[in-house]
Each structure stands twice: as structure tokens, then as C-alpha cells.
Amino acid sequence: MNDLLEQLITPIIITAIVSGLYRYFQKKKEEYQKYVYENKQNDFQKLENFSNELIEGGEANPELKTILFKISQRINPYGREIKTFGKYQWIKDDGHIWNQLNQIEGKINSQEITIDDLKELAYRIQISKRILDVRLEQAVSPISPSKIWFYFLQYLTLVFQLFLLFSLYTIGFKSSEINESSIHLAFALWLSLMIFLIFLIPELIINESDDSKFEIFIIVYTMVFALVDAFTTYYLWNNLSSAIIVFVIILFFMITLTFLKSIIFGDSEIGKISTIYIEEYRELQESKSNKKRFKDYFRKYKFFFNKEK
């Protein structure tokens, strides 16, 4: 029985199981997304017709309010609650379209509506359609160096966590003391949590909220990640120098992963859209969110490197 457990707990077997589960859920996700996007394409076909009616009829169109209502029925209803989402989610949920709709309705009531307002609405609808088209494109885009390094470091960090888990198991298996086993279990639980953070922390930077507490959350969890690995290394091999080296390397890996994810996101279609409407979104939030978030500094570095090229 013990020999069987030792074979099952090897890093290769664990990696294979994790990879298999990831492929399964990824396939399910892609099937669901394809279903959703195909349905949404039908909505955008009608939205394009409504946009054409807006421009052709102009601001004096007697059916203007009716057309605007029809548009509101074809876009994501969650985007209307603009204060409950971060910039990324706001764009995904058509918040930039909702904002323009609200402005147009206000201008209609005050009789300040112009053809430019309607053209801007049509333009924003086309932006959302473009985002959808990009996701449905079948051609495989070239892999950028940022993506290669991102996935390489992410995989390397994951393998190291599995190695620490395997080391805890092998050392803990030989220990017969209850206290020792309890400590091993505690470290194993922490490391299991860290595995999720490998995938979670880089994603948090692109779903970033405009709450300053969210920045602290990301920074603290990045530090905790490196500390857990460092303490585990020290506990396993009782070597302070190794623990410090592990702390520095893992912290560097997590910061680099976050930085690379920001570059990848900034180069994507939705990342470019988020950049266009970032100030508009902030104006819709509370005053405390008007200051720049640290994701903006990542974007500045990306633009600097691109400019140098």
C-alpha cells in the first residue's frame, strides 16, 4: 500500500493529473464560450442594424428613443452597474456602451443631442463586436516572447511547489512522531493553497479593482507566497541560506509573472479597449479611485519598451 502511494505521489503523476484536469475544464470552458459567443453574434447583427438606423435618422429621428431601448435589450445588462466592476469586467460587460446610452438619454431630455453622440454609440458597439470577432477567430496567432516566458515561469513555479509537496510527503512518511506529522500536514495545506495562487495572482492584475485595498491584497499574497516556500525549504533542510535564496527567487518569479501578464493583457484587444476608456471609467467611480493604480505603471513600462524597439 505504501509503495503504491509513493508511486502515485511522484511529481510526474501529480503533474499529469493536474494537466489532465486543466485540459478537461479548459475544453468545457471553450465549448461554453463558443455557445455564448455564437448567440451574441446574432445580437450584434441586430445591433449593427440599429446603429445604421440611428445614423440615418439622425438626432431628429422620432423613433430615436425606441431604437435606443432596443439597443439596451441586446447588450449585457450587468454592464449597467458600472460601480460594481473593475475596468476589465466593465468593458467585457459592455459598460462603455451603457455609459454612452445614459449620456445620450440625458442629452435627449435636455435637447442637446448631436449626431456625433450617435456616431460615438455606433463606434462603441463596433468595438464590442470587434472583441467578439477576435475571440472567435480560428487562426492561431503567433506566440509572443512574453507568453513564452510567462508560461515557462508559471510551469517552473508549479513544478517547484510540487517538488516541495513531494519532499514533505517523503520526509513526513518516515517520521513516526504525531507532532512532526501535524507540522508536515500544515505545510502541505499551505503549499496546496499556493498552487492556486500561481494562476490567481497574475489574473488579479488584469481584473484589478479601483480600490486601493485590492493593491495591498495582491502585494501581501505575493509576499506570503514567497514566505511559505522559504519557510518550507528551511523546515525541510534546516538551511537558512537556501531559504533566503528560495524567497528571493520565488518573489522575483511572482513579480515577473504579474509583469508579463500585464504586457500580454496590454497587447490584447480588450487590453487596448481598457486603455481607451480607463479615464472614463474612473470618472464614474468615487473620487478615491481617480489616482493611478499600480497596473498603470506596468502599462507605462510596456509602452517604454515598445518605444525603445
Side-chain angles (χ1 to χ4, degrees), residues 194-206:
M194 295 305 107
I195 289 175
F196 290 102
L197 292 181
I198 295 173
F199 303 97
L200 181 62
I201 290 177
E203 295 301 321
L204 289 176
I205 190 69
I206 65 169

Side-chain angles (χ1 to χ4, degrees), residues 109-170:
N109 296 331
S110 61
Q111 296 183 342
E112 297 176 353
I113 185 72
T114 66
I115 189 65
D116 289 336
D117 296 317
L118 302 180
K119 286 181 178 178
E120 178 63 24
L121 177 60
Y123 170 70
R124 296 186 182 211
I125 290 173
Q126 286 300 318
I127 282 180
S128 287
K129 185 177 185 300
R130 171 60 185 159
I131 293 175
L132 182 69
D133 290 340
V134 168
R135 295 183 180 188
L136 290 173
E137 285 177 356
Q138 298 299 320
V140 179
S141 58
I143 299 177
S144 65
S146 299
K147 285 186 178 179
I148 294 174
W149 279 107
F150 174 79
Y151 290 116
F152 173 73
L153 290 178
Q154 196 173 54
Y155 177 77
L156 205 60
T157 309
L158 174 62
V159 169
F160 184 69
Q161 306 309 304
L162 296 175
F163 168 73
L164 290 179
L165 274 172
F166 178 69
S167 300
L168 277 171
Y169 170 77
T170 53

